[in-house]
Protein backbone atom coordinates (compact mmCIF):
# COMPACT_ATOMS: atom_id res chain seq x y z
CA UNK A 1 0.00 0.00 0.00
CA UNK A 2 2.86 2.35 0.85
CA UNK A 3 4.47 1.69 -2.54
CA UNK A 4 1.24 2.47 -4.36
CA UNK A 5 0.89 5.74 -2.44
CA UNK A 6 4.41 6.86 -3.37
CA UNK A 7 3.86 5.94 -7.03
CA UNK A 8 0.54 7.81 -7.12
CA UNK A 9 2.06 10.85 -5.40
CA UNK A 10 5.07 11.03 -7.73
CA UNK A 11 2.93 10.28 -10.77
CA UNK A 12 0.51 13.10 -9.92
CA UNK A 13 3.35 15.58 -9.52
CA UNK A 14 4.88 14.34 -12.76
CA UNK A 15 1.63 14.96 -14.64
CA UNK A 16 1.28 18.42 -13.10
CA UNK A 17 4.86 19.08 -14.19
CA UNK A 18 3.79 18.75 -17.81
CA UNK A 19 1.95 22.06 -17.43
CA UNK A 20 4.19 23.61 -14.78
CA UNK A 21 7.76 22.40 -15.44
CA UNK A 22 9.09 23.89 -12.21
CA UNK A 23 7.08 21.32 -10.25
CA UNK A 24 9.57 18.73 -11.53
CA UNK A 25 12.22 20.63 -9.56
CA UNK A 26 10.07 20.05 -6.49
CA UNK A 27 9.85 16.34 -7.35
CA UNK A 28 13.64 16.15 -7.60
CA UNK A 29 14.03 17.91 -4.23
CA UNK A 30 11.53 15.52 -2.63
CA UNK A 31 13.29 12.41 -3.94
CA UNK A 32 16.80 13.53 -3.03
CA UNK A 33 15.83 14.71 0.48
CA UNK A 34 13.23 12.13 1.55
CA UNK A 35 14.54 9.20 -0.55
CA UNK A 36 11.14 7.47 -0.87
CA UNK A 37 12.88 4.51 -2.53
CA UNK A 38 14.27 3.64 0.91
CA UNK A 39 10.76 3.64 2.33
CA UNK A 40 9.46 1.43 -0.47
CA UNK A 41 9.22 -2.33 -0.13
CA UNK A 42 9.94 -3.35 -3.72
CA UNK A 43 8.57 -1.06 -6.46
CA UNK A 44 10.51 2.21 -6.12
CA UNK A 45 13.74 0.71 -4.83
CA UNK A 46 14.09 -1.34 -7.99
CA UNK A 47 14.31 1.63 -10.36
CA UNK A 48 16.65 4.69 -10.38
CA UNK A 49 13.94 7.25 -9.54
CA UNK A 50 16.45 9.92 -8.50
CA UNK A 51 18.19 9.81 -11.88
CA UNK A 52 14.79 9.76 -13.62
CA UNK A 53 13.62 12.83 -11.66
CA UNK A 54 16.86 14.63 -12.47
CA UNK A 55 16.52 13.84 -16.19
CA UNK A 56 12.86 14.93 -16.21
CA UNK A 57 13.71 18.21 -14.45
CA UNK A 58 16.52 19.09 -16.87
CA UNK A 59 14.58 17.89 -19.91
CA UNK A 60 11.49 19.96 -19.07
CA UNK A 61 13.65 23.06 -18.60
CA UNK A 62 15.39 22.52 -21.94
CA UNK A 63 12.17 21.92 -23.87
CA UNK A 64 9.56 24.12 -22.22
CA UNK A 65 10.87 26.62 -19.68
CA UNK A 66 11.62 30.28 -20.43
CA UNK A 67 15.39 30.85 -20.59
CA UNK A 68 15.55 34.59 -21.26
CA UNK A 69 16.52 35.52 -17.70
CA UNK A 70 19.00 32.70 -17.14
CA UNK A 71 22.47 33.73 -15.96
CA UNK A 72 25.59 31.68 -15.25
CA UNK A 73 27.66 32.70 -12.22
CA UNK A 74 31.25 32.12 -11.17
CA UNK A 75 30.03 29.84 -8.39
CA UNK A 76 28.33 27.57 -10.90
CA UNK A 77 31.63 27.46 -12.77
CA UNK A 78 33.37 26.40 -9.56
CA UNK A 79 30.84 23.60 -9.13
CA UNK A 80 31.57 22.39 -12.66
CA UNK A 81 35.29 22.51 -11.89
CA UNK A 82 34.71 20.57 -8.68
CA UNK A 83 32.67 17.84 -10.38
CA UNK A 84 35.29 17.57 -13.14
CA UNK A 85 38.04 17.16 -10.55
CA UNK A 86 35.95 14.57 -8.70
CA UNK A 87 35.59 12.69 -11.98
CA UNK A 88 39.37 12.72 -12.43
CA UNK A 89 40.07 11.49 -8.90
CA UNK A 90 37.44 8.76 -9.40
CA UNK A 91 39.32 7.48 -12.45
CA UNK A 92 42.58 7.43 -10.45
CA UNK A 93 41.04 6.36 -7.12
CA UNK A 94 42.75 4.08 -4.63
CA UNK A 95 39.55 2.02 -4.45
CA UNK A 96 37.99 2.20 -7.96
CA UNK A 97 34.85 0.16 -7.27
CA UNK A 98 33.93 1.96 -4.06
CA UNK A 99 34.76 5.34 -5.59
CA UNK A 100 32.50 4.67 -8.57
CA UNK A 101 29.59 3.84 -6.25
CA UNK A 102 29.90 7.19 -4.49
CA UNK A 103 30.51 9.04 -7.77
CA UNK A 104 27.17 7.77 -9.09
CA UNK A 105 25.27 10.07 -6.70
CA UNK A 106 27.82 12.82 -6.02
CA UNK A 107 28.01 14.05 -9.62
CA UNK A 108 24.23 14.41 -9.76
CA UNK A 109 24.09 16.38 -6.52
CA UNK A 110 26.74 18.85 -7.74
CA UNK A 111 25.31 19.21 -11.25
CA UNK A 112 21.90 19.87 -9.69
CA UNK A 113 23.53 22.71 -7.77
CA UNK A 114 24.72 24.09 -11.11
CA UNK A 115 21.35 23.66 -12.78
CA UNK A 116 18.86 24.80 -10.12
CA UNK A 117 19.81 28.53 -10.16
CA UNK A 118 18.92 28.60 -13.87
CA UNK A 119 15.31 27.78 -12.94
CA UNK A 120 15.04 30.26 -10.04
CA UNK A 121 13.95 33.24 -12.14
CA UNK A 122 11.28 34.67 -9.84
CA UNK A 123 10.61 35.22 -6.17
CA UNK A 124 7.84 32.62 -6.32
CA UNK A 125 10.23 29.95 -7.57
CA UNK A 126 12.87 30.83 -4.98
CA UNK A 127 10.28 30.63 -2.23
CA UNK A 128 8.79 27.43 -3.66
CA UNK A 129 12.12 25.60 -3.54
CA UNK A 130 12.67 26.88 0.00
CA UNK A 131 9.26 25.64 1.13
CA UNK A 132 9.75 22.26 -0.52
CA UNK A 133 13.15 21.80 1.12
CA UNK A 134 11.57 22.56 4.49
CA UNK A 135 8.52 20.33 3.99
CA UNK A 136 10.56 17.43 2.60
CA UNK A 137 12.99 17.52 5.51
CA UNK A 138 10.07 17.91 7.92
CA UNK A 139 8.78 14.45 6.99
CA UNK A 140 11.85 13.08 8.76
CA UNK A 141 12.11 15.78 11.44
CA UNK A 142 8.48 15.59 12.60
CA UNK A 143 8.72 11.80 12.81
CA UNK A 144 11.91 12.02 14.87
CA UNK A 145 10.61 14.87 17.02
CA UNK A 146 7.43 13.00 17.97
CA UNK A 147 9.36 9.83 18.83
CA UNK A 148 11.79 11.87 20.93
CA UNK A 149 8.95 13.59 22.82
CA UNK A 150 7.24 10.24 23.49
CA UNK A 151 10.21 7.93 24.13
CA UNK A 152 13.34 10.07 24.55
CA UNK A 153 15.27 8.47 21.70
CA UNK A 154 18.90 7.48 22.15
CA UNK A 155 22.21 7.35 20.27
CA UNK A 156 21.82 4.89 17.40
CA UNK A 157 18.37 3.97 18.74
CA UNK A 158 15.97 6.55 17.29
CA UNK A 159 14.39 5.01 14.21
CA UNK A 160 13.75 7.59 11.48
CA UNK A 161 11.44 5.44 9.33
CA UNK A 162 14.27 3.33 7.79
CA UNK A 163 16.83 0.88 9.13
CA UNK A 164 19.58 2.17 6.82
CA UNK A 165 20.89 5.27 8.61
CA UNK A 166 22.54 6.98 5.67
CA UNK A 167 21.81 10.35 4.10
CA UNK A 168 19.41 12.49 6.11
CA UNK A 169 18.32 9.42 8.05
CA UNK A 170 21.64 9.39 9.93
CA UNK A 171 21.38 10.98 13.38
CA UNK A 172 24.20 13.53 13.19
CA UNK A 173 23.31 14.57 9.64
CA UNK A 174 19.60 15.16 10.28
CA UNK A 175 20.45 17.01 13.52
CA UNK A 176 22.73 19.39 11.61
CA UNK A 177 20.25 19.86 8.75
CA UNK A 178 17.31 20.35 11.12
CA UNK A 179 19.02 23.16 13.04
CA UNK A 180 20.24 24.79 9.81
CA UNK A 181 16.62 24.90 8.58
CA UNK A 182 15.29 26.84 11.58
CA UNK A 183 16.22 30.31 10.19
CA UNK A 184 14.46 29.48 6.90
CA UNK A 185 11.41 28.14 8.74
CA UNK A 186 11.15 31.37 10.74
CA UNK A 187 11.52 33.39 7.52
CA UNK A 188 8.63 31.48 5.92
CA UNK A 189 6.49 32.10 9.01
CA UNK A 190 6.92 35.85 8.59
CA UNK A 191 7.56 36.60 4.91
CA UNK A 192 6.11 33.61 3.07
CA UNK A 193 3.55 34.22 0.32
CA UNK A 194 2.80 30.66 -0.83
CA UNK A 195 1.25 30.04 2.58
CA UNK A 196 0.20 33.49 3.85
CA UNK A 197 1.47 34.31 7.31
CA UNK A 198 -1.50 33.63 9.61
CA UNK A 199 -1.83 31.89 12.97
CA UNK A 200 -2.00 28.43 11.38
CA UNK A 201 1.21 28.87 9.38
CA UNK A 202 3.03 30.43 12.32
CA UNK A 203 1.80 27.69 14.64
CA UNK A 204 3.06 24.98 12.29
CA UNK A 205 6.41 26.73 11.79
CA UNK A 206 6.99 27.18 15.53
CA UNK A 207 6.05 23.56 16.20
CA UNK A 208 8.41 22.46 13.42
CA UNK A 209 11.22 24.54 14.98
CA UNK A 210 10.58 22.70 18.25
CA UNK A 211 10.81 19.37 16.41
CA UNK A 212 14.10 20.53 14.87
CA UNK A 213 15.46 21.34 18.34
CA UNK A 214 14.39 17.90 19.56
CA UNK A 215 16.38 16.09 16.85
CA UNK A 216 19.78 16.46 18.60
CA UNK A 217 18.11 15.25 21.82
CA UNK A 218 16.53 12.22 20.18
CA UNK A 219 19.63 11.25 18.22
CA UNK A 220 22.03 12.29 21.02
CA UNK A 221 24.24 13.80 18.32
CA UNK A 222 26.87 16.12 19.76
CA UNK A 223 26.99 17.86 16.39
CA UNK A 224 23.40 18.97 16.92
CA UNK A 225 24.19 20.55 20.28
CA UNK A 226 27.06 22.52 18.73
CA UNK A 227 24.71 23.68 15.95
CA UNK A 228 22.10 24.82 18.50
CA UNK A 229 24.71 26.88 20.34
CA UNK A 230 25.86 28.49 17.07
CA UNK A 231 22.26 29.26 16.06
CA UNK A 232 21.52 30.82 19.47
CA UNK A 233 24.65 32.96 19.22
CA UNK A 234 23.81 34.21 15.72
CA UNK A 235 20.20 34.98 16.59
CA UNK A 236 21.30 36.81 19.72
CA UNK A 237 23.87 38.77 17.72
CA UNK A 238 21.13 39.96 15.32
CA UNK A 239 18.72 40.80 18.13
CA UNK A 240 18.14 44.40 19.19
CA UNK A 241 17.50 43.30 22.77
CA UNK A 242 20.62 41.24 23.48
CA UNK A 243 20.70 42.01 27.20
CA UNK A 244 17.11 40.78 27.60
CA UNK A 245 17.09 37.70 25.38
CA UNK A 246 20.63 36.58 26.31
CA UNK A 247 19.85 35.91 29.99
CA UNK A 248 16.45 34.45 29.06
CA UNK A 249 18.11 31.97 26.67
CA UNK A 250 20.61 30.99 29.37
CA UNK A 251 17.83 30.45 31.91
CA UNK A 252 15.80 28.42 29.40
CA UNK A 253 18.84 26.24 28.65
CA UNK A 254 19.48 25.58 32.35
CA UNK A 255 15.78 24.93 33.02
CA UNK A 256 15.64 22.32 30.23
CA UNK A 257 18.47 20.18 31.67
CA UNK A 258 16.28 18.26 34.20
CA UNK A 259 13.92 17.28 31.38
CA UNK A 260 16.68 15.85 29.17
CA UNK A 261 17.42 12.11 29.14
CA UNK A 262 20.36 11.18 31.38
CA UNK A 263 22.04 9.41 28.45
CA UNK A 264 21.91 12.66 26.47
CA UNK A 265 23.63 14.76 29.15
CA UNK A 266 26.25 12.06 29.71
CA UNK A 267 27.05 11.92 26.00
CA UNK A 268 27.23 15.71 25.69
CA UNK A 269 29.78 15.81 28.51
CA UNK A 270 32.28 14.01 26.27
CA UNK A 271 32.53 17.16 24.09
CA UNK A 272 34.96 18.74 26.57
CA UNK A 273 37.31 15.71 26.57
CA UNK A 274 37.59 13.76 23.33
CA UNK A 275 39.86 11.13 24.93
CA UNK A 276 37.00 10.10 27.17
CA UNK A 277 34.95 8.92 24.22
CA UNK A 278 36.22 6.32 21.78
CA UNK A 279 34.17 7.72 18.88
CA UNK A 280 35.66 11.21 19.31
CA UNK A 281 39.17 9.81 19.79
CA UNK A 282 38.82 7.82 16.57
CA UNK A 283 37.83 10.93 14.64
CA UNK A 284 40.91 12.83 15.79
CA UNK A 285 43.10 9.88 14.83
CA UNK A 286 41.48 9.71 11.37
CA UNK A 287 42.03 13.44 10.85
CA UNK A 288 45.73 13.10 11.75
CA UNK A 289 46.02 10.18 9.32
CA UNK A 290 44.38 12.31 6.59
CA UNK A 291 46.90 15.12 7.03
CA UNK A 292 49.75 12.64 6.67
CA UNK A 293 48.08 11.00 3.66
CA UNK A 294 47.52 14.21 1.72
CA UNK A 295 51.14 15.25 2.29
CA UNK A 296 52.20 12.13 0.40
CA UNK A 297 49.28 12.31 -2.11
CA UNK A 298 48.52 16.03 -2.81
CA UNK A 299 45.93 15.13 -5.45
CA UNK A 300 43.84 13.05 -3.04
CA UNK A 301 42.95 9.39 -3.19
CA UNK A 302 39.44 9.50 -4.64
CA UNK A 303 36.13 8.69 -2.97
CA UNK A 304 36.20 6.39 0.08
CA UNK A 305 39.99 6.28 0.25
CA UNK A 306 39.65 6.26 4.05
CA UNK A 307 39.21 2.47 3.72
CA UNK A 308 42.99 2.12 3.79
CA UNK A 309 43.59 4.05 7.01
CA UNK A 310 45.09 2.30 10.02
CA UNK A 311 46.18 3.91 13.27
CA UNK A 312 46.78 3.45 16.96
CA UNK A 313 45.80 5.91 19.67
CA UNK A 314 45.33 6.18 23.42
CA UNK A 315 41.79 6.33 24.82
CA UNK A 316 40.88 6.89 28.43
CA UNK A 317 37.82 6.02 30.46
CA UNK A 318 36.69 6.25 34.06
CA UNK A 319 36.60 2.88 35.86
CA UNK A 320 35.01 2.23 39.25
CA UNK A 321 36.22 -1.13 40.64
CA UNK A 322 35.18 -0.67 44.26
CA UNK A 323 38.21 1.31 45.39
CA UNK A 324 36.86 4.51 43.90
CA UNK A 325 36.77 5.99 40.39
CA UNK A 326 40.04 6.07 38.48
CA UNK A 327 41.06 7.01 34.94
CA UNK A 328 42.30 4.12 32.85
CA UNK A 329 44.26 4.58 29.61
CA UNK A 330 44.36 1.90 26.96
CA UNK A 331 45.92 1.52 23.53
CA UNK A 332 43.39 1.15 20.70
CA UNK A 333 44.16 0.00 17.15
CA UNK A 334 41.62 0.72 14.42
CA UNK A 335 41.40 0.85 10.62
CA UNK A 336 39.04 1.71 7.79
CA UNK A 337 37.25 4.44 9.74
CA UNK A 338 35.31 7.18 7.91
CA UNK A 339 36.39 10.82 8.04
CA UNK A 340 33.48 12.18 10.12
CA UNK A 341 34.27 15.66 8.82
CA UNK A 342 33.37 17.27 5.51
CA UNK A 343 36.63 19.21 5.54
CA UNK A 344 38.86 16.17 5.95
CA UNK A 345 36.59 14.24 3.58
CA UNK A 346 37.31 16.77 0.81
CA UNK A 347 40.97 17.02 1.70
CA UNK A 348 41.57 13.28 1.75
CA UNK A 349 39.46 12.40 -1.29
CA UNK A 350 40.11 15.41 -3.56
CA UNK A 351 43.47 16.68 -2.32
CA UNK A 352 44.57 20.28 -1.94
CA UNK A 353 43.10 21.44 -5.27
CA UNK A 354 39.65 19.93 -4.74
CA UNK A 355 39.53 21.24 -1.19
CA UNK A 356 40.50 24.75 -2.36
CA UNK A 357 37.75 24.80 -5.02
CA UNK A 358 35.15 23.56 -2.52
CA UNK A 359 36.20 26.05 0.16
CA UNK A 360 36.25 28.94 -2.33
CA UNK A 361 32.72 28.05 -3.48
CA UNK A 362 31.35 28.28 0.05
CA UNK A 363 33.33 31.42 0.85
CA UNK A 364 32.04 33.30 -2.21
CA UNK A 365 28.46 32.25 -1.40
CA UNK A 366 28.84 33.60 2.12
CA UNK A 367 30.35 36.90 0.92
CA UNK A 368 27.71 37.45 -1.76
CA UNK A 369 24.85 36.70 0.65
CA UNK A 370 26.31 39.14 3.15
CA UNK A 371 26.52 41.76 0.37
CA UNK A 372 22.82 41.24 -0.40
CA UNK A 373 21.95 41.61 3.27
CA UNK A 374 23.81 44.91 3.54
CA UNK A 375 22.40 46.25 0.28
CA UNK A 376 18.76 45.55 1.18
CA UNK A 377 18.75 45.82 4.99
CA UNK A 378 17.10 49.26 5.03
CA UNK A 379 14.61 48.62 2.25
CA UNK A 380 11.15 48.04 3.67
CA UNK A 381 9.00 48.36 0.57
CA UNK A 382 6.44 45.62 -0.08
CA UNK A 383 8.54 44.14 -2.90
CA UNK A 384 11.89 44.25 -1.08
CA UNK A 385 11.21 43.82 2.66
CA UNK A 386 11.65 40.04 2.36
CA UNK A 387 15.08 40.12 0.75
CA UNK A 388 17.43 41.03 3.63
CA UNK A 389 15.74 38.62 6.09
CA UNK A 390 15.93 35.85 3.48
CA UNK A 391 19.64 36.54 2.94
CA UNK A 392 20.18 36.39 6.71
CA UNK A 393 18.26 33.09 6.95
CA UNK A 394 20.30 31.56 4.12
CA UNK A 395 23.52 32.85 5.65
CA UNK A 396 22.74 31.50 9.10
CA UNK A 397 21.63 28.12 7.74
CA UNK A 398 24.79 27.93 5.65
CA UNK A 399 27.05 28.75 8.60
CA UNK A 400 25.33 26.19 10.84
CA UNK A 401 25.68 23.51 8.17
CA UNK A 402 29.36 24.28 7.63
CA UNK A 403 30.14 24.25 11.35
CA UNK A 404 28.16 21.03 11.78
CA UNK A 405 30.08 19.51 8.88
CA UNK A 406 33.28 19.91 10.90
CA UNK A 407 32.18 16.73 12.66
CA UNK A 408 30.12 14.94 9.97
CA UNK A 409 31.11 13.84 6.47
CA UNK A 410 28.41 15.73 4.55
CA UNK A 411 30.44 17.63 1.96
CA UNK A 412 28.50 16.24 -1.02
CA UNK A 413 24.99 15.99 0.42
CA UNK A 414 22.33 17.18 -2.11
CA UNK A 415 20.81 19.37 0.62
CA UNK A 416 23.77 21.76 0.82
CA UNK A 417 23.94 22.13 -2.96
CA UNK A 418 20.24 23.05 -2.95
CA UNK A 419 20.98 25.68 -0.31
CA UNK A 420 23.87 27.02 -2.40
CA UNK A 421 21.55 27.07 -5.42
CA UNK A 422 19.08 29.21 -3.44
CA UNK A 423 21.85 31.69 -2.64
CA UNK A 424 23.01 31.84 -6.26
CA UNK A 425 19.44 32.07 -7.55
CA UNK A 426 18.64 34.93 -5.17
CA UNK A 427 21.79 36.79 -6.24
CA UNK A 428 21.15 36.44 -9.98
CA UNK A 429 17.44 37.30 -9.55
CA UNK A 430 18.25 40.52 -7.69
CA UNK A 431 20.99 41.42 -10.19
CA UNK A 432 18.45 41.15 -13.01
CA UNK A 433 15.99 43.34 -11.10
CA UNK A 434 18.63 46.01 -10.44
CA UNK A 435 19.70 46.05 -14.09
CA UNK A 436 16.08 46.27 -15.25
CA UNK A 437 15.44 49.15 -12.84
CA UNK A 438 18.59 50.94 -14.03
CA UNK A 439 17.51 50.55 -17.67
CA UNK A 440 14.07 51.91 -16.83
CA UNK A 441 15.57 54.96 -15.11
CA UNK A 442 17.90 55.50 -18.05
CA UNK A 443 15.04 55.29 -20.57
CA UNK A 444 12.93 57.70 -18.53
CA UNK A 445 15.79 60.20 -18.33
CA UNK A 446 16.27 60.01 -22.11
CA UNK A 447 12.57 60.56 -22.73
CA UNK A 448 12.56 63.48 -20.30
CA UNK A 449 15.60 64.99 -22.02
CA UNK A 450 13.85 64.75 -25.39
CA UNK A 451 10.72 66.37 -24.02
CA UNK A 452 8.66 63.20 -24.48
CA UNK A 453 5.98 62.15 -21.96
CA UNK A 454 7.11 59.52 -19.47
Amino acid sequence: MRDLFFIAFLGLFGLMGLRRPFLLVAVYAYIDIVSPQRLSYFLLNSIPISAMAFAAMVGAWLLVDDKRDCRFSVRQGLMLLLVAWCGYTTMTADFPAEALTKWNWVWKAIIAGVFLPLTLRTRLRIEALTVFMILCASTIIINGGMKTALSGGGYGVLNLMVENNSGLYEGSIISCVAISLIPLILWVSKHGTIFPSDWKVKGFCYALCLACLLMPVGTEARTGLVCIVILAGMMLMRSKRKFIYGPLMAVAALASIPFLPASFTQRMQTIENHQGDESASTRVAVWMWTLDYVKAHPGGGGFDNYLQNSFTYFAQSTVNDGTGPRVERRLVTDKGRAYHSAYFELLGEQGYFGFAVWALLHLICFIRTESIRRLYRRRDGPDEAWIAPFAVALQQGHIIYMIGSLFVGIAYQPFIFMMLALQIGLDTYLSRKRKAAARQVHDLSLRHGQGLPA
Side-chain angles (χ1 to χ4, degrees), residues 353-393:
F353 179 76
F355 179 84
V357 172
W358 178 79
L360 183 61
L361 168 64
H362 288 283
L363 179 62
I364 293 176
C365 277
F366 175 80
I367 292 173
R368 289 300 305 158
T369 308
E370 175 64 14
S371 299
I372 293 171
R373 184 194 70 81
R374 294 189 178 189
L375 183 61
Y376 289 89
R377 60 185 170 180
R378 291 187 175 88
R379 303 192 187 185
D380 53 3
D383 295 330
E384 296 181 329
W386 64 278
I387 297 173
F390 188 59
V392 170

Side-chain angles (χ1 to χ4, degrees), residues 147-268:
K147 289 180 178 178
T148 300
L150 295 174
S151 66
Y155 182 67
V157 174
L158 188 66
N159 187 299
L160 298 173
M161 298 191 290
V162 297
E163 297 295 334
N164 181 6
N165 65 337
S166 59
L168 294 192
Y169 292 97
E170 197 277 328
S172 295
I173 297 177
I174 190 59
S175 295
C176 176
V177 168
I179 304 303
S180 70
L181 276 175
I182 289 178
L184 288 173
I185 296 171
L186 294 175
W187 178 86
V188 169
S189 72
K190 186 176 182 180
H191 299 280
T193 57
I194 295 177
F195 298 103
S197 181
D198 56 16
W199 67 270
K200 292 176 288 187
V201 171
K202 289 184 177 180
F204 174 81
C205 289
Y206 296 153
L208 182 56
C209 287
L210 176 60
C212 290
L213 291 171
L214 286 175
M215 289 309 301
V217 178
T219 60
E220 294 187 359
R222 291 165 294 196
T223 303
L225 179 61
V226 173
C227 291
I228 290 175
V229 172
I230 298 301
L231 173 63
M234 288 191 297
M235 295 182 73
L236 188 61
M237 187 172 62
R238 296 286 183 193
S239 173
K240 296 179 180 179
R241 298 180 177 87
K242 298 179 179 63
F243 296 105
I244 297 177
Y245 293 135
L248 287 176
M249 292 169 67
V251 170
L254 292 173
S256 67
I257 292 177
F259 300 97
L260 297 173
S263 58
F264 173 81
T265 55
Q266 290 171 3
R267 182 166 171 78
M268 295 307 111

